Amino acid sequence: MSASDSPAHVLSGVLDALASQNLRVVDLSQTLSPRFPQIVLPPEFDQCAPFRMEEISRYDGRGPAWYWNNISFGEHTGTHFDAPVHWITGRDLPNAATDSLPARSFIAPACVVDCSAQAAQDADFLLTVDRLRAWEVQYGRIPEGSWLLMRTDWSKRTDPVAYQNFDAAGQHTPGPDVAAVEFLVHDRGVIGFGSETIGTDAGQAAHFRPPYPCHAIMHGNGRLGLQCLCNLDLLPPTGAIVIAAPLKILHGSGSPVRAIALVAG
Amino acid sequence: MTDALKRAAPRNPILPLRVPTLPPGQRSRAALRWTASVAEGRFELQSCHDCGQIQYPPRDACTNCLSIRLTWKPVSGRGDLISETLLHHSNELYYRARVPLRLGLVRLAEGVTVLTHLHGDCPVAKANESIPVRVRAHLDKAGQAALIALPATDTPNMADDRMLREMTSDPKFRKVLITDGKSATGQALVKAFVDAGADIVWAGLSEPWKQPPGFDAISKLPNVTVVPLELTDPRSVEDLAGSIGGKVDILVNNAEVHRAHGIGDRRGTETARAEMDINYFGLLRLAQSFGPALRARAADSAVPSTAWVNILSIYALSALPGQGTFSASKAAAFSLSQTLRSEMRGAGIRVVNVFPGPIDDEWTQTLPPPKLAPAALAKAVVKALKDGVEDIYPGDVAQDLFTKWQESAKVLEREMWDQ
Amino acid sequence: MTAAPYQGVVIATPVSIPYVRYSTKDAHWFLARALSALLKTSGLKKSDLDGLGVSSFTLFPDTAVGLTQHLGLSPRWLDHLPFGGASGVIALRRAARAVQCGDASVVACVAGDANHVDSFRANLANFSRFARDAVYPLGSGGPNASFALLTSHYMQSTGAEPADFGKLCVAQRANALRFPSTLFKKPLTLDEYLNARPIADPLKLFDCVMPCAGSEGFLVMGEDRAKRLGIPYARILGTIERHNAFPEDPIQNRGGWAMDQDHLYSQAGFGPPDIDLFEAYDDYPVINCLQFEGLGLCREGEAPAFIRKNTFTIDGSLPFNTSGGQLSVGQAGAAGGFLGLVQALRQVTGQAMKTQVENARHALVSGFGMINYDRGLCTGAAILGRA
């Protein structure tokens, strides 16, 4: 390794590149707001808390010189990170909770697969192995340890009703099919799957075999999830580095994150 | 003849707001006992257990035999109007704004002379001729019982009499918020208020991505406007209050989370917390955000703001163990509603508490009939507002449990084990 | 057992402290002035008073007890008289028996009230339990509506006309113009009476008294004492008192005097034709009618005819409320219950000056008070005789 490749040099090079805009930071997170939809389960189950804010004081009698809020949310509220313990298949894995995952897991390259045209036509669009292989023909093999991010432009649906997209048959949002998940986990060794929708799994994934493959298979193999991402359309198909660090919650199954990407140029 | 009520003209915004005032509200303890029965929709007079004497005003002993064993006897209110006056001047601020005022002396069939307001359609009193009238007791704007004599038989637009309207909260021409327009009771309430002649019914909608059957049709009824309302989000409550709060005349808080769990049959407090967050804290948020404008407008026109309705539950009084956390959340809401009533008192806003038994919806699937149909609940709410009462117990189960609770809450506690 | 006659005891020293519409002074001040005037006029010293009778609405939170320390008295007989317009007659009855039996030797009877700008409403709020529970909440804000209801019923049952009531009011005003301290200085015509501002139908402005501040007083003592003092005095020829009369009447169309009328005249030893002047309690004209009837000046229900047949000025066929009555002098609270008695005392002792009725030997005084729910509860009457 030459002097110019020394770790210290690399780091200062990053700072220089950020200062000169040769490296840009892209914000991949939705605003944590009471209006943002949260995942809804059938009523007989307990629910994930929506994001709520209670003002403590606002430069007033309750606190004259300061403004602050008490906030409450579930571990899976808003743009959030899923740890492997979130699913039953991952419950016995070591270092699989938000406080025990190595911090190294929180920085990884990202492959962005653009399914926005298909998702616009079909809310139940499923990402298949064929589609992934076709992507690889263009952009190269999916590197081990990278995120597979499914761009659908679903984050541009700002109306909560359209974002949730329920009807009498349940939710209709795009996601990966079972084979695609198996492929990504076993054939490509991804670190995890990220989506713009409310879950990494498709809205109708309850009916797949196994149900919820992106949770069951990914987490069962110690892989991670990112949901409710946005601005994936600002990322290149390859080359971006995603930084997504969950809160270090004791035995946490996940947490809201400020997910960002470092992008060249 | 009573003139039919007219819609209030839009307020001239440069004129000062007419501030609510109240009739004198002090009462002796015996008179408060009388007010309590009127608040629950009964017209009773004091009766001596020993000699049967009927007396009014309420006393501490029998005016005939001095017995202290006094009970209360329902009376028909039928009587003879023996004298009347038209008051042109009063030292009371409330009445200064309402003169000229008809007052009368009525000799009731029970042999008691009572001083009453007179409905405009009562004939002129005559000393030497029997002028039959019907006396009723209502809560006045101060929330205390007062008497009013009505004509012997109903007359057209009778409910539109000015003094009678002071004592009641008719939804006609009023603007009503139903906090959850989506649930079965909510849809029934929206329809009932539309039918009762409300000018606007705002149907509160939470979690808009979940739309149960029937809601679409309800939202398309005339005068119905769907508004977003998440009772767990203080910002949502404030935003809606900022938008429509200055126009709401009647607020009906029917939003609830209702699950069927006790203590040991569910681990964790999330369900109970969700029940409290809407059933108790939701009420608190609503009262903080909507209360001030509701109070301020209580005298601003001929059709001012008038009432706050809480859909509680009979299980607020005595818990149904199979729905124990739900019962507790309703008990918390009931307690808070007593404070709400106290805080609304100065403006003369009537707080109406509704204590139904099981409602025939998806959350009482395992409870046997009789159950209250949502439409029946809605009908009872509208009637309570028109009658001007405070507490109602609609349906057979609610009536039964309320009677038992009044007789002995401690006995009922055990009877609830087998409900 | 019949009541003993009032031998050896007399009433003396009529005192009126001029009325004012509003005053910042408290009742204690007005009562002090009345007491002071009683002493000055009689020549007695304060320490000579060993009995005190007090009537006042606005003395609260004090009663007669508080007044003893306030004004430095140490009586051996003390009475607080919450009887409103009947207080004068009842004060006389109590004091006279005390002096007769030796429980006191000189009793000062005083009545008076403050009238602050907010007095009227403040008094009303706590006037009586029944008023608070069942009258004021309906809007009357005072006794006007209650008396309007009585007046309306009375007019319908007896055929009384507004002009009948007006005749009394006009006569009383004419009498008042001869009284030095009336609040009303102008004559009243029947037209003005009939066309006055409506207050509570059928009552109009001149049917209602004007509340004001002031006080009245008199002394009760043994006849020997009065002679030794050299002051004019009058005899007490008879008295009656009744409370909550006729509770079964659906509406009050007769007063308690009717129950005790015979007893009054049998004490006096003569009847209504021998009455030379009548000081009635006139808070509203209809009550004057109930007093004419209740005290036998005419039969029940026939006061309208009686009014039409007679004249009521000082030189009329029945001199009536010769200082003007409350309707033309003003009502200084409880002092209204003493006003007629004090004026009657002036008449039979020849001290009535411009309002003097010629040859006034027998004066009838009547009191009525405390409308509690729907009717006045206290009635009383006394006949004073020239000594």
Side-chain angles (χ1 to χ4, degrees):
Chain A
M1 195 191 298
S2 71
S4 58
D5 292 325
S6 71
H9 200 248
V10 169
L11 281 181
S12 64
V14 167
L15 291 174
D16 288 340
L18 284 169
S20 64
Q21 304 258 3
N22 286 330
L23 263 188
R24 283 177 300 108
V25 178
V26 176
D27 188 355
L28 302 179
S29 296
Q30 300 263 18
T31 304
L32 254 185
S33 130
R35 302 293 147 97
F36 194 78
Q38 81 283 359
I39 189 119
V40 172
L41 298 184
E44 57 271 19
F45 300 126
D46 283 347
Q47 306 291 329
C48 171
F51 180 76
R52 291 288 180 256
M53 302 174 71
E54 296 271 358
E55 202 176 78
I56 305 172
S57 71
R58 196 180 188 93
Y59 330 114
D60 58 21
R62 298 170 297 167
W66 45 93
Y67 158 57
W68 52 352
N69 302 294
N70 276 334
I71 56 180
S72 60
F73 47 82
E75 289 171 331
H76 297 263
T77 302
T79 301
H80 68 276
F81 180 107
D82 284 1
V85 290
H86 176 44
W87 213 252
I88 191 170
T89 49
R91 76 174 165 194
D92 295 325
L93 295 175
N95 304 321
T98 53
D99 60 334
S100 56
L101 280 165
R104 171 70 187 86
S105 323
F106 307 145
I107 305 177
C111 298
V112 183
V113 179
D114 181 4
C115 306
S116 54
Q118 292 80 358
Q121 297 292 327
D122 175 13
D124 292 311
F125 174 74
L126 296 179
L127 177 61
T128 59
V129 175
D130 283 347
R131 185 108 184 83
L132 288 168
R133 286 199 189 282
W135 183 91
E136 283 183 323
V137 164
Q138 259 195 293
Y139 301 109
R141 187 185 164 92
I142 294 163
E144 187 169 334
S146 65
W147 284 99
L148 196 298
L149 304 181
M150 180 180 178
R151 175 189 158 193
T152 51
D153 287 356
W154 203 259
S155 59
K156 297 186 199 295
R157 292 181 169 224
T158 51
D159 170 19
V161 176
Y163 191 82
Q164 294 269 31
N165 208 28
F166 269 97
D167 67 13
Q171 264 183 315
H172 300 275
T173 58
D177 71 3
V178 176
V181 177
E182 298 273 17
F183 174 76
L184 288 169
V185 170
H186 298 300
D187 291 279
R188 292 296 178 266
V190 298
I191 193 172
F193 190 90
S195 78
E196 297 182 51
T197 59
I198 205 152
T200 47
D201 271 307
Q204 289 292 303
H207 305 296
F208 298 173
R209 300 212 187 91
Y212 306 107
C214 206
H215 289 76
I217 299 168
M218 279 277 169
H219 296 324
N221 286 278
R223 313 306 162 89
L224 315 171
L226 281 173
Q227 279 122 126
C228 304
L229 295 170
C230 64
N231 288 335
L232 295 188
D233 57 329
L234 300 182
L235 298 182
T238 64
I241 296 179
V242 167
I243 302 173
L247 295 170
K248 195 174 182 181
I249 299 169
L250 178 68
H251 304 152
S253 73
S255 93
V257 286
R258 192 65 182 270
I260 57 176
L262 292 175
V263 170
Chain B
M1 277 300 113
T2 307
D3 291 332
L5 180 71
K6 289 198 205 2
R7 238 173 218 99
R11 191 190 143 212
N12 182 347
I14 64 169
L15 295 178
L17 186 65
R18 183 161 206 105
V19 170
T21 52
L22 300 181
Q26 286 288 309
R27 295 292 191 281
S28 65
R29 191 140 212 282
L32 287 179
R33 170 64 182 79
W34 186 56
T35 278
S37 67
V38 175
E40 288 174 344
R42 301 193 301 279
F43 182 22
E44 305 170 334
L45 289 183
Q46 245 183 359
S47 162
C48 177
H49 177 85
D50 291 330
C51 74
Q53 173 88 355
I54 305 274
Q55 55 191 22
Y56 177 86
R59 291 164 164 79
D60 293 346
C62 176
T63 194
N64 181 44
C65 73
L66 298 181
S67 168
I68 54 167
R69 299 204 296 172
L70 299 170
T71 63
W72 295 84
K73 189 165 165 284
V75 293
S76 68
R78 300 214 166 261
D80 180 23
L81 181 62
I82 56 180
S83 184
E84 75 171 89
T85 181
L86 186 66
L87 195 68
H88 293 275
H89 167 75
S90 175
N91 289 320
E92 293 294 337
L93 287 178
Y94 175 81
Y95 285 107
R96 284 188 79 203
R98 287 159 178 87
V99 290
L101 191 68
R102 268 184 99 186
L103 297 175
L105 281 177
V106 177
R107 185 75 172 170
L108 293 179
E110 289 80 7
V112 173
T113 297
V114 293
L115 179 66
T116 72
H117 288 293
L118 288 184
H119 187 285
D121 290 345
C122 287
V124 174
K126 296 227 170 27
N128 304 317
E129 199 185 303
S130 171
I131 305 289
V133 291
R134 283 173 298 172
V135 173
R136 290 215 301 233
H138 280 286
L139 297 180
D140 65 14
K141 268 278 183 246
Q144 303 286 14
L147 294 171
I148 181 166
L150 268 51
T153 52
D154 286 359
T155 52
N157 305 317
M158 197 172 78
D160 292 346
D161 175 80
R162 267 186 70 197
M163 186 48 68
L164 200 50
R165 280 185 57 77
E166 288 285 311
M167 297 165 150
T168 56
S169 303
D170 196 319
K172 186 162 70 168
F173 296 157
R174 286 191 150 113
K175 302 181 183 62
V176 183
L177 169 62
I178 311 293
T179 57
D180 180 0
K182 199 170 58 170
S183 63
T185 62
Q187 293 183 33
L189 284 163
V190 168
K191 181 159 193 320
F193 277 92
V194 168
D195 291 345
D199 264 7
I200 299 179
V201 179
W202 289 288
L205 180 62
S206 67
E207 301 182 309
W209 51 83
K210 293 196 292 191
Q211 294 231 1
F215 184 67
D216 198 51
I218 290 293
S219 65
K220 292 188 164 68
L221 286 175
N223 300 343
V224 174
T225 304
V226 175
V227 289
L229 182 56
E230 299 280 353
L231 280 197
T232 58
D233 175 9
R235 199 167 291 216
S236 171
V237 179
E238 269 170 32
D239 282 354
L240 186 62
S243 152
I244 66 168
K247 298 182 176 56
V248 172
D249 298 321
I250 299 176
L251 192 150
V252 181
N253 183 25
N254 70 310
E256 71 176 24
V257 170
H258 184 179
R259 298 290 185 271
H261 297 298
I263 297 174
D265 64 331
R266 183 80 161 196
R267 272 191 44 226
T269 57
E270 276 308 298
T271 304
R273 199 200 47 76
E275 285 169 334
M276 283 297 275
D277 204 15
I278 295 239
N279 302 350
Y280 171 71
F281 285 106
L283 172 57
L284 184 54
R285 292 182 191 111
L286 278 169
Q288 288 183 345
S289 291
F290 282 85
L294 198 68
R295 283 193 292 272
R297 289 188 40 247
D300 73 345
S301 73
V303 191
S305 58
T306 180
W308 181 297
V309 181
N310 293 311
I311 310 295
L312 300 172
S313 164
I314 192 66
Y315 304 127
L317 300 181
S318 193
L320 182 65
Q323 300 189 359
T325 58
F326 170 73
S327 302
S329 72
K330 288 296 188 179
F334 170 47
S335 179
L336 193 64
S337 77
Q338 292 181 309
T339 296
L340 182 65
R341 197 172 268 154
S342 166
E343 292 188 6
M344 288 292 171
R345 198 168 68 105
I349 296 288
R350 184 70 38 83
V351 173
V352 180
N353 282 340
V354 182
F355 299 85
I359 296 175
D360 205 353
D361 62 16
E362 61 272 12
W363 301 110
T364 61
Q365 291 177 58
T366 59
L367 291 179
K371 292 191 274 195
L372 190 65
L377 174 70
K379 190 165 160 204
V381 169
V382 170
K383 182 171 191 299
L385 289 167
K386 288 181 172 177
D387 289 345
V389 299
E390 267 186 0
D391 298 328
I392 58 167
Y393 305 85
D396 297 324
V397 174
Q399 286 287 311
D400 178 61
L401 294 182
F402 178 56
T403 303
K404 289 172 171 163
W405 180 78
Q406 285 186 306
E407 284 166 7
S408 170
K410 195 62 185 168
V411 170
L412 180 59
E413 184 184 352
R414 281 175 162 73
E415 288 176 302
M416 295 303 282
W417 297 347
D418 299 321
Q419 287 280 321
Chain C
M1 181 179 168
T2 54
Y6 293 97
Q7 296 287 53
V9 58
V10 297
I11 175 175
T13 330
V15 146
S16 300
I17 301 303
Y19 296 172
V20 289
R21 178 78 171 102
Y22 289 114
S23 166
T24 55
K25 301 285 187 245
D26 283 343
H28 305 61
W29 188 86
F30 286 96
L31 293 169
R33 288 190 61 199
L35 269 173
S36 177
L38 286 173
L39 296 176
K40 256 226 205 62
T41 311
S42 62
L44 285 163
K45 296 195 297 297
K46 187 150 65 97
S47 52
D48 293 327
L49 299 177
D50 61 355
L52 178 65
V54 179
S55 183
S56 174
F57 290 112
T58 55
L59 200 54
F60 180 88
D62 285 340
T63 63
V65 177
L67 207 57
T68 62
Q69 191 175 39
H70 198 114
L71 300 179
L73 298 149
S74 305
R76 58 189 176 109
W77 185 92
L78 184 65
D79 203 8
H80 193 96
L81 300 132
F83 306 116
S87 295
V89 167
I90 299 176
L92 175 63
R93 279 168 60 84
R94 303 282 186 271
R97 293 307 186 198
V99 168
Q100 270 190 306
C101 301
D103 285 344
S105 60
V106 180
V107 180
C109 297
V110 288
D113 269 298
N115 196 38
H116 305 305
V117 169
D118 66 344
S119 274
F120 196 59
R121 256 202 76 242
N123 285 347
L124 289 186
N126 293 304
F127 189 75
S128 77
R129 182 169 137 173
F130 282 0
R132 196 180 54 170
D133 282 351
V135 180
Y136 297 144
L138 295 176
S140 53
N144 290 335
S146 303
F147 284 97
L149 289 162
L150 299 186
T151 306
S152 173
H153 187 268
Y154 183 84
M155 290 171 77
Q156 290 192 352
S157 335
T158 64
E161 303 267 324
D164 297 322
F165 299 135
K167 183 171 177 183
L168 294 178
C169 294
V170 168
Q172 286 186 212
R173 179 66 65 87
N175 295 344
L177 294 179
R178 301 213 225 165
F179 187 68
S181 47
T182 175
L183 286 183
F184 295 89
K185 313 287 191 199
K186 296 190 308 144
L188 176 69
T189 66
L190 187 62
D191 249 359
E192 282 170 321
Y193 170 83
L194 291 172
N195 296 315
R197 176 161 69 92
I199 300 294
D201 295 352
L203 298 178
K204 298 189 165 59
L205 183 62
F206 298 112
D207 292 308
C208 306
V209 298
M210 177 185 287
C212 55
S215 54
E216 309 263 345
F218 56 87
L219 294 173
V220 177
M221 64 183 79
E223 186 171 5
D224 294 341
R225 189 65 177 276
K227 283 198 174 116
R228 283 206 304 278
L229 286 169
I231 54 177
Y233 58 85
R235 300 202 189 287
I236 306 161
L237 302 184
T239 70
I240 52 171
E241 175 183 348
R242 180 68 60 176
H243 304 282
N244 193 31
F246 307 122
E248 305 303 319
D249 286 354
I251 185 171
Q252 186 169 48
N253 51 12
R254 54 181 172 162
W257 313 277
M259 284 182 79
D260 305 295
Q261 189 197 113
D262 292 340
H263 178 50
L264 177 69
Y265 291 113
S266 80
Q267 289 175 67
F270 55 77
D274 288 311
I275 296 296
D276 297 320
L277 65 112
F278 183 19
E279 299 291 333
Y281 187 79
D282 63 329
D283 54 349
Y284 296 88
V286 68
I287 304 301
N288 289 333
C289 294
L290 297 192
Q291 285 164 103
F292 290 141
E293 295 170 6
L295 286 162
L297 293 163
C298 64
R299 284 211 296 263
E300 196 177 304
E302 297 191 359
F306 177 78
I307 292 171
R308 291 168 202 163
K309 263 209 322 265
N310 285 282
T311 53
F312 302 94
T313 48
I314 284 158
D315 49 8
S317 56
L318 177 66
F320 178 72
N321 289 350
T322 58
S323 63
Q326 296 172 93
L327 283 170
S328 276
V329 176
Q331 181 186 68
F338 274 43
L339 181 157
L341 184 58
V342 168
Q343 177 66 2
L345 177 57
R346 283 191 195 102
Q347 291 287 359
V348 300
T349 54
Q351 300 178 86
M353 299 202 294
K354 292 224 203 106
T355 64
Q356 185 68 53
V357 169
E358 223 181 282
N359 202 23
R361 291 167 310 131
H362 301 140
L364 173 65
V365 181
S366 172
F368 171 83
M370 305 309 289
I371 185 151
N372 191 50
Y373 166 47
D374 60 340
R375 60 197 65 202
L377 294 186
C378 309
T379 52
I383 300 178
L384 301 187
R386 190 163 62 191

